[in-house]
Amino acid sequence: MTRQDVLAALYGKDGYISGEELSRELGVSRTAVNQAVKALRKDGFEIDSITNRGYKLLSAPDLLSAGILQSFLGKERMNHVLCYEVTDSTNLRLQELGADPSVPGGTAALANEQTIGRGRRGRTFVSAPDTGIYLSMLLRPSEMQPAARMDIWTRLTSWAAVAVCNAVETVYGLRPGIKWVNDLLLNGRKICGILTQMEMESETGEIREIIIGIGINVQQTRSDFPEELREIAGSLYQETGIRVPRARLAAEVIRELDRLIEAWPDDPSYLMRYREDSVVVGKKIRVLTSSGEKKAGAVSIGDDFSLLVRYEDGSEESLHGGEISIRPF
């Protein structure tokens, strides 16, 4: 890990750091430091070196590397963060790891690219390389504040949506809206989707683990999306014109999910912010069902994060799951 440790020490520092200081701080030889710097330069990092002054990072590619993340999160937190250049699915990686009870809640998996990223209802989530954040976190209900009822745990998707909005606001200075249940929108375009999976104990029926999967479009331009998605999907860069290193946003999402775990299940601010962030309430919507579409008006968000809708015949229903569309009738 010497190369990533050296990168973490250099990233975000304004001045030069001597090889001796790096050697002492990391507990490695000066030769190991020098070799790490050479390797980082080959990876595209521009590192200046001056005799008697040391090393300074001048520029860095937009990578989701352990070293850059460590500069934001610290080494201790990174002990439970896995970084993949390419993987099939970060949810699948944590699903496999979660079968081992020694893997703690809060373990996160992060990928630069997914080959079989999934959204809700089995849809494909486009997970192209070098542009997005594909991040999952493992939660252990046994390690969190007790909340036995299943309907309590199903609220985690909504809590996670608020957490990601918080992270985006911290990094970009603006806040996305939430399309019930789990999509984040900017200027009407989807920039993030969230998929929550639960694993049950077959004998007891208790929840063994929960995996929150988050896909965020960060640096994409319009041409990066498949043609059929270009009017629907967007990215933070496309909608704001601001380029932020993906690792900075990924680290903030991890921080917010850590705060979520600490706040669960009693913090009322998540429901308050979810209601404030809703882009659905007060709109005409279409409720999508297996038998077709029903036109309705979105009335309010319930205390359990359900969506109260009023149909054209005046009848009302609280939706606890499913899918809606807010495109014009």
Side-chain angles (χ1 to χ4, degrees):
M1 285 294 291
T2 300
R3 179 174 61 175
Q4 296 300 328
D5 289 334
V6 169
L7 176 57
L10 293 174
Y11 197 91
K13 297 293 193 306
D14 292 330
Y16 287 80
I17 304 176
S18 71
E20 181 180 354
E21 183 180 350
L22 285 170
S23 174
R24 185 173 57 253
E25 179 182 328
L26 301 178
V28 298
S29 67
R30 290 281 299 275
T31 300
V33 170
N34 186 54
Q35 290 174 341
V37 169
K38 288 180 178 179
L40 289 169
R41 284 171 172 159
K42 288 182 179 179
D43 288 341
F45 294 89
E46 184 181 0
I47 302 173
D48 190 27
S49 59
I50 299 178
T51 304
N52 297 326
R53 293 188 68 185
Y55 303 100
K56 180 180 180 180
L57 180 64
L58 301 180
S59 66
D62 185 19
L63 303 180
L64 292 172
S65 71
I68 299 177
L69 282 165
Q70 184 175 314
S71 72
F72 292 109
L73 293 172
K75 193 165 187 176
E76 182 176 354
R77 184 64 182 90
M78 285 301 297
N79 287 334
H80 301 295
V81 179
L82 307 170
C83 296
Y84 300 96
E85 177 61 27
V86 182
T87 191
D88 48 4
S89 162
T90 55
N91 270 31
L92 288 176
R93 297 283 67 75
L94 288 187
Q95 188 175 347
E96 292 176 353
L97 287 170
D100 180 353
S102 68
V103 176
T107 298
L110 187 68
N112 181 59
E113 178 185 2
Q114 293 183 127
T115 56
I116 55 170
R118 294 294 179 210
R120 296 179 70 228
R121 302 197 171 197
R123 296 190 183 97
T124 298
F125 186 90
V126 179
S127 310
D130 306 323
T131 55
I133 293 172
Y134 317 113
L135 185 156
S136 300
M137 186 175 284
L138 173 70
L139 278 64
R140 298 281 195 197
S142 60
E143 299 173 0
M144 298 170 67
Q145 189 72 19
R149 297 194 341 258
M150 177 66 76
D151 67 303
I152 295 290
W153 293 106
T154 59
R155 300 176 192 179
L156 273 171
T157 301
S158 300
W159 278 53
V162 172
V164 178
C165 285
N166 291 344
V168 171
E169 184 174 33
T170 297
V171 174
Y172 286 84
L174 52 83
R175 194 170 182 89
I178 300 174
K179 173 181 169 284
W180 187 88
V181 177
N182 63 340
D183 290 342
L184 270 58
L185 307 184
L186 268 181
N187 302 326
R189 297 178 186 272
K190 179 178 176 178
I191 61 159
C192 173
I194 300 170
L195 179 66
T196 303
Q197 298 177 217
M198 295 186 184
E199 296 293 326
M200 313 287 291
E201 290 285 358
S202 58
E203 293 183 1
T204 65
E206 294 180 350
I207 302 171
R208 184 181 68 209
E209 68 205 37
I210 299 170
I211 299 169
I212 299 175
I214 299 167
I216 307 175
N217 299 330
V218 183
Q219 310 290 26
Q220 290 95 333
T221 62
R222 178 182 171 86
S223 62
D224 290 320
F225 295 109
E227 189 170 353
E228 66 272 16
L229 297 180
R230 290 176 184 172
E231 300 304 319
I232 302 170
S235 73
L236 285 161
Y237 170 69
Q238 182 181 333
E239 300 307 316
T240 68
I242 301 171
R243 284 204 186 273
V244 171
R246 289 178 295 150
R248 181 183 171 194
L249 178 58
E252 195 59 40
V253 171
I254 291 172
R255 285 197 193 98
E256 285 293 339
L257 291 176
D258 288 345
R259 293 183 184 116
L260 180 157
I261 292 172
E262 290 296 320
W264 179 264
D266 298 321
D267 189 334
S269 68
Y270 285 84
L271 176 60
M272 179 186 71
R273 291 313 301 258
Y274 191 87
R275 284 170 167 161
E276 292 173 351
D277 294 336
S278 173
V279 297
V280 172
V281 172
K283 299 282 183 64
K284 292 182 178 180
I285 65 171
R286 290 177 289 169
V287 179
L288 310 181
T289 70
S290 58
S291 58
E293 300 179 355
K294 295 180 69 176
K295 295 179 180 180
V299 179
S300 63
I301 301 293
D303 291 347
D304 57 356
F305 293 88
S306 61
L307 178 65
L308 178 64
V309 300
R310 182 178 296 120
Y311 296 109
E312 290 183 309
D313 63 3
S315 63
E316 294 184 346
E317 181 182 11
S318 289
L319 304 178
H320 294 86
E323 190 169 359
I324 65 168
S325 172
I326 55 176
R327 295 186 206 171
F329 293 162

